[in-house]
Amino acid sequence: ADPETEAALLVAMKDEDAGVRARAVEAGGRFESRALREELMYAISDPSPLVRAEAVLAPHRWSTSAEAAAVVDSAIANVASKAPAQLRTERWGLPKRGELVPEAEDLEVIWRALFTLERRKSERARSVFHLWARYPGSVEARIFANRGIAALSSKTPECMQALRESLADVDPRVAVEAATGLGRFPEAASLPALEAACAHTSTQVRVAAVAALGEFRGHRESARALLQKRLVDDSAAVRGEALVSMSKL
């Protein structure tokens, strides 16, 4: 982030080569310069998915208390709310391809946008997190959408339902994030899903579900009954987490 390179980066962000633009955007995201950050916000609509992917990732390094933070969140959420394939049609007049479902290059942009919004704990991304939490075409999108829900300051019925459904995801990494989210917002309706997760074939999912139950202080007896069963789990990690959660309760 050498300030003497700012002028050169601004030039490189307009280079004809998408690879050069992408690297300039990546570097520019580490600066505090207003001029560079304005260019980065323009870059989220770049024709190249390589550049867009770097542009939506950059704001995860920026302060959420900085000037125009809400505008930044809104812009990134807008990218994630519609596949860039659709943006290509709407903004550049390119022909439609299929039903405008996200393509591989689009999903790379989208999961990075979700990562940024999760890191920024963006309330403006609530509907976007819900949109992608169960999307079958990208495990990364599901991971960061569920992490995003868990990072929010409050819950909604829709988001809680998404977390419960995600607890049964085919990818254990998604289920782990969902369990963490259910522990973040403990409510009785989540206990059946957590009970099922406590018997998951993945040790990591069982550990996460047991850890979540330790947050259910408002439903101590029900949570303690589920934890009691995990004290004889085959995994020492699960047994240890069960002891920790029981002590919390």
Side-chain angles (χ1 to χ4, degrees):
D2 181 355
E4 293 186 6
T5 65
E6 179 178 336
L9 285 173
L10 285 168
V11 172
M13 286 182 183
K14 297 178 176 63
D15 197 277
E16 292 183 359
D17 188 293
V20 173
R21 297 199 305 277
R23 297 286 68 78
V25 165
E26 179 188 19
R30 303 175 188 277
F31 285 70
E32 298 292 333
S33 163
R34 177 180 291 185
L36 279 172
R37 291 191 172 184
E38 287 179 354
E39 286 300 318
L40 284 168
M41 296 312 294
Y42 282 120
I44 66 174
S45 295
D46 193 278
S48 167
L50 185 66
V51 179
R52 295 198 301 271
E54 294 296 346
V56 297
L57 191 62
H60 89 268
R61 305 184 184 97
W62 304 352
S63 171
T64 54
S65 60
E67 182 183 0
V71 174
V72 171
D73 285 356
S74 295
I76 303 300
N78 184 56
V79 169
S81 68
K82 294 189 294 184
Q86 184 168 342
L87 295 181
R88 285 197 294 269
T89 299
E90 291 179 355
R91 295 184 184 179
W92 304 318
L94 299 179
K96 293 183 179 181
R97 288 185 280 180
E99 295 300 317
L100 297 176
V101 296
E103 299 173 13
E105 62 188 29
D106 299 331
L107 291 173
E108 186 73 16
V109 177
I110 287 166
W111 78 253
R112 287 170 181 248
L114 293 169
F115 168 83
T116 293
L117 292 165
E118 177 264 319
R119 288 291 294 270
R120 292 173 64 84
K121 297 179 172 58
S122 174
E123 292 291 335
R124 292 176 179 242
R126 185 182 293 274
S127 61
V128 172
F129 293 145
H130 181 253
L131 176 67
W132 293 100
R134 301 295 297 130
Y135 179 71
S138 170
V139 64
E140 292 87 357
R142 299 200 305 277
I143 287 171
F144 291 112
N146 279 279
R147 286 184 66 172
I149 292 172
L152 295 172
S153 61
S154 61
K155 62 184 178 181
T156 63
E158 294 78 16
C159 285
M160 293 303 297
Q161 184 60 31
L163 289 174
R164 292 180 195 119
E165 292 176 359
S166 293
L167 201 51
D169 196 279
V170 294
D171 194 299
R173 294 170 294 175
V174 179
V176 165
E177 300 300 343
T180 301
L182 293 176
R184 172 81 171 77
F185 303 112
E187 59 182 35
S190 299
L191 287 170
L194 286 169
E195 181 178 13
C198 282
H200 201 283
T201 55
S202 166
T203 300
Q204 288 78 12
V205 173
R206 297 203 305 279
V207 167
V210 165
L213 287 170
E215 305 302 325
F216 279 67
R217 296 177 183 85
H219 310 281
R220 280 185 174 86
E221 297 308 316
S222 297
R224 190 177 285 120
L226 298 180
L227 290 169
Q228 192 73 34
K229 298 176 183 179
R230 302 334 309 167
L231 293 176
V232 293
D233 194 278
D234 292 339
S235 166
V238 177
R239 296 196 301 272
E241 196 64 47
L243 285 170
V244 172
S245 287
M246 290 188 76
S247 71
K248 287 183 177 180
L249 296 175

